[in-house]
Amino acid sequence: PRLSEHILEGFASQVPTVSVSTYGRSDHFDTVSNDETHGANLIVDHLVDLGHERIAHIDAGLAAGGPERRSAFIDAMMRYGLAPIVAEGDFNDDAGLAATSQLMSLRTPPTAIFAGNDLAATGVLTHLKNIGASVPDDVSVVGYDDTLLAGIGPVSLTPVHQPRQQLGRLAMELLLERIAGRTEARHELIEPRLVIRSTTGRVRA
């Protein structure tokens, strides 16, 4: 998903090509992607319903899905008339920990943090534990992907579930169609869902 459309079109001129986790509009290859905009909106809607207004997002720079999640978060916050807070990060626990340290040092820290993925969310949870902050009583935390890590009992993270098996299955179906002779491009977006566990709760009065 990090490859440019130009490079992917070069591949597609030689072999049937489907790119997973990229959403494009090229006429030369197919794409299958998680709907990052829908996922970010699910998170913001959930947190606002719980009364949160100071919501921060730890982004992942140019990593796959990162720019889309960040942009959708900002748009969703503005839709509610709320000021988006964005901290630079990456898709790993060290980045999540460092970004949370910065966020919790703000004069008015956030009451909810949307981490770019589940690994970054573990860094968020680690820093909050280190400073004695309760999750979700003091700060709610949301991840993204719903990996096996998120569902482990002691973690019990609220994430957006990215339908990885569905993405892979659809990509294979498109590839077989390409091999069979289909020439028109298809670009598919799959809607994720929110899995509510124990790291999100109502904001304190």
Side-chain angles (χ1 to χ4, degrees), residues 21-23 33-43 63-73 91 114 116 144-145 160 162 167 189-192:
S21 295
T22 300
Y23 184 74
S33 180
N34 178 66
D35 190 338
E36 309 291 3
T37 298
H38 183 67
N41 274 281
L42 287 174
I43 292 171
E68 292 81 8
R69 291 173 198 179
R70 173 179 175 147
S71 177
F73 166 75
F91 283 158
F114 158 29
Y144 205 109
D145 289 337
V160 164
Q162 186 167 194
L167 290 168
L189 274 179
I190 310 258
E191 281 196 359

Side-chain angles (χ1 to χ4, degrees), residues 12 22 24 29 54 100 125 134 176 186 200:
T22 300
F29 62 90
R54 297 270 307 166
T100 307
L125 294 171
S134 174
L176 291 172
R186 287 181 56 185
T200 53

Side-chain angles (χ1 to χ4, degrees), residues 32 161-173 190:
V32 180
H161 175 83
Q162 186 167 194
R164 295 180 298 279
Q165 290 186 346
Q166 188 178 357
L167 290 168
R169 186 164 52 247
L170 181 55
M172 195 64 204
E173 290 172 358
I190 310 258

Side-chain angles (χ1 to χ4, degrees), residues 37-189:
T37 298
H38 183 67
N41 274 281
L42 287 174
I43 292 171
V44 174
D45 289 347
H46 173 59
L47 293 173
V48 170
D49 284 346
L50 293 172
H52 294 277
E53 295 182 352
R54 297 270 307 166
I55 305 170
H57 172 52
I58 300 173
D59 78 358
L62 297 177
E68 292 81 8
R69 291 173 198 179
R70 173 179 175 147
S71 177
F73 166 75
I74 293 172
D75 289 344
M77 290 290 286
M78 294 180 68
R79 174 165 52 86
Y80 281 106
L82 301 174
I85 305 167
V86 178
E88 292 185 7
D90 205 340
F91 283 158
N92 60 66
D93 55 345
D94 286 341
L97 191 151
T100 307
S101 176
Q102 295 175 13
L103 290 170
M104 299 309 292
S105 298
L106 295 174
R107 185 172 183 178
T108 307
T111 63
I113 297 175
F114 158 29
N117 74 346
D118 294 347
L119 269 178
T122 63
V124 176
L125 294 171
T126 298
H127 180 75
L128 293 175
K129 181 180 179 180
N130 289 345
I131 64 174
S134 174
V135 176
D137 294 335
D138 296 321
V139 184
S140 286
V141 179
V142 183
Y144 205 109
D145 289 337
D146 194 22
T147 56
L148 288 175
L149 175 68
I152 293 174
V155 180
S156 192
L157 178 69
T158 294
V160 164
H161 175 83
Q162 186 167 194
R164 295 180 298 279
Q165 290 186 346
Q166 188 178 357
L167 290 168
R169 186 164 52 247
L170 181 55
M172 195 64 204
E173 290 172 358
L174 294 179
L175 185 59
L176 291 172
E177 290 177 6
R178 279 279 185 180
I179 292 170
R182 175 175 56 81
T183 56
E184 72 280 4
R186 287 181 56 185
H187 302 288
E188 302 289 344
L189 274 179

